[in-house]
Amino acid sequence: MADKKDLDFTYTTIDNIFRLSIGETGDYSGAKYDGDFSMSLEEAQKAKHKFIADSLNIKEGSKVLDMACGWGPFINYITKERGASAIGLTLSEGQAQACINNGMDVRVKDCRTVKPEDYGVFDAITCIGGLEHFCSVEEWKAGKQEQVYKDFFQTLDQLLPKGGRFYMQTMTFGKNMIDFEDIDVNAEKGSAAHVLALMIKEFPGSWLPYGPEMVIRNAEPRFKLISQSSGRLDYIETIGQWRKKFRKFNLKKYWLYASLLPRFLTDKEFRHQIEVFKISPNRVCFEKEIMEHYRLVFEKV
């Protein structure tokens, strides 16, 4: 899977800029508009948090594990709005420190290695965008992708009681996914081959599942699917709102942009990261249906 170095490269690099643009506990995953694009980004993210908490029956006193917690937006919601207790996990040092500074219990730890002896068992578990990083290109090529997901659900099985629920939000490859051999960062800009190459540059060590079916069948027989919905159109809108916020002027933020110039001039991989911010390849992938996005609710049987 994407290791700590990979995720630090993606998330710690943008930590300060992200928080100055989106907020201290901003959400770096697709919001939930359900077709109502008159909602603000903040309203749509809160609607998502409410949907997740309702789907997992989170209430006062619930003990929740938020895997791949990012900057802690869901933890912030359930502790303040529901009276739950929560532990967050991330592999990004920048994200973890930001969460701790904001009063959250967040640890730097690989989600796939959690055992009951680490933090006990939980009433509910979430993984919002984390599965996208669990399988690497190399593991996919070696035919290990399905086993990666089976092993993950075995981990979840140990952390939840019977009837305990798990929420997953993940990007998947869609109906217009191309052959891996055709992916090329030097291909025509904006083409499927080009934007997928940028996605790999943005998220090193990461390879997506082929549709929700791949996830669902590897959850069985330990977990049954409770609900499934597509968030592709919502994610397109979310990314558009992020772009506006990243570009909105803030003196400190633009000083940070300027401070990255030496790295831009000397680091080819970092220049790819800048290109990612310029064209938002994941948005292009959603628009072209190269990628899809799903919200999945499971229950332990």
Side-chain angles (χ1 to χ4, degrees):
M1 68 173 285
D3 60 19
K4 185 176 179 300
K5 180 182 177 183
D6 293 329
L7 296 179
D8 267 330
F9 175 73
T10 301
Y11 296 112
T12 303
T13 297
I14 66 166
D15 171 50
N16 287 328
I17 292 171
F18 179 86
R19 288 186 287 115
L20 286 168
S21 301
I22 312 297
E24 280 295 312
T25 59
D27 201 320
Y28 206 30
S29 63
K32 195 171 190 292
Y33 292 90
D34 288 334
D36 181 6
F37 298 123
S38 68
M39 297 170 69
S40 70
L41 176 61
E42 292 74 19
E43 288 170 336
Q45 293 290 17
K46 189 169 183 177
K48 177 184 72 181
H49 298 153
K50 183 180 185 304
F51 169 76
I52 299 170
D54 289 345
S55 297
L56 301 186
N57 304 316
I58 294 174
K59 55 188 182 296
E60 186 172 357
S62 294
K63 183 182 177 184
V64 182
L65 179 64
D66 188 11
M67 295 176 161
C69 66
W71 285 272
F74 186 65
I75 294 174
N76 188 57
Y77 175 81
I78 59 173
T79 54
K80 292 181 178 178
E81 300 284 338
R82 300 294 176 106
S85 64
I87 294 174
L89 304 179
T90 179
L91 282 178
S92 164
E93 293 281 357
Q95 287 181 334
Q97 192 56 56
C99 289
I100 292 167
N101 291 345
N102 284 301
M104 301 177 211
D105 184 358
V106 170
R107 324 288 177 87
V108 177
K109 188 171 180 63
D110 183 342
C111 299
R112 302 191 306 176
T113 65
V114 182
K115 301 284 191 297
E117 51 264 35
D118 294 327
Y119 315 116
V121 296
F122 296 86
D123 300 305
I125 299 176
T126 57
C127 188
I128 305 171
L131 189 82
E132 297 150 10
H133 304 301
F134 285 3
C135 179
S136 68
V137 172
E138 291 73 24
E139 286 170 316
W140 166 71
K141 286 182 175 180
K144 297 178 180 178
Q145 187 171 22
E146 303 241 3
Q147 190 61 51
V148 166
Y149 301 148
K150 286 179 184 177
D151 291 345
F152 176 59
F153 277 97
Q154 184 174 355
T155 295
L156 294 172
D157 181 55
Q158 298 172 350
L159 298 172
L160 286 168
K162 185 176 181 179
R165 289 194 172 185
F166 167 63
Y167 175 84
M168 170 184 291
Q169 187 166 300
T170 186
M171 294 185 279
T172 72
F173 291 126
K175 64 180 183 180
N176 294 327
M177 175 57 179
I178 64 174
D179 291 339
F180 179 81
E181 291 73 19
D182 294 331
I183 298 173
D184 183 359
V185 75
N186 297 312
E188 180 185 353
K189 290 193 175 183
S191 66
H194 178 247
V195 294
L196 280 166
L198 288 181
M199 288 292 296
I200 293 172
K201 295 290 186 183
E202 183 179 8
F203 302 109
S206 304
W207 192 247
L208 302 182
Y210 285 82
E213 301 81 10
M214 177 179 272
V215 179
I216 294 165
R217 68 172 171 263
N218 286 292
E220 298 171 345
R222 295 180 172 87
F223 290 85
K224 65 179 180 180
L225 182 69
I226 300 298
S227 71
Q228 170 185 323
S229 59
S230 170
R232 183 177 68 87
L233 297 179
D234 286 352
Y235 219 146
I236 292 170
E237 177 66 18
T238 302
I239 294 168
Q241 295 303 320
W242 284 339
R243 286 171 67 88
K244 292 177 185 178
K245 289 179 179 292
F246 275 115
R247 290 171 176 171
K248 187 175 181 180
F249 182 77
N250 173 293
L251 185 60
K252 185 175 181 181
K253 179 172 64 177
Y254 272 71
W255 174 253
L256 286 169
Y257 282 141
S259 72
L260 295 172
L261 182 59
R263 187 171 176 187
F264 175 80
L265 295 173
T266 60
D267 187 338
K268 182 179 179 181
E269 292 304 315
F270 186 67
R271 288 196 292 274
H272 287 310
Q273 287 285 76
I274 299 301
E275 191 171 2
V276 163
F277 273 93
K278 286 172 62 178
I279 73 168
S280 297
N282 49 346
R283 184 181 187 182
V284 179
C285 285
F286 287 135
E287 290 170 340
K288 292 178 178 289
E289 296 187 75
I290 299 165
M291 293 186 342
E292 251 285 3
H293 180 260
Y294 286 94
R295 308 179 185 104
L296 304 171
V297 179
F298 294 94
E299 183 174 288
K300 180 177 171 178
V301 296

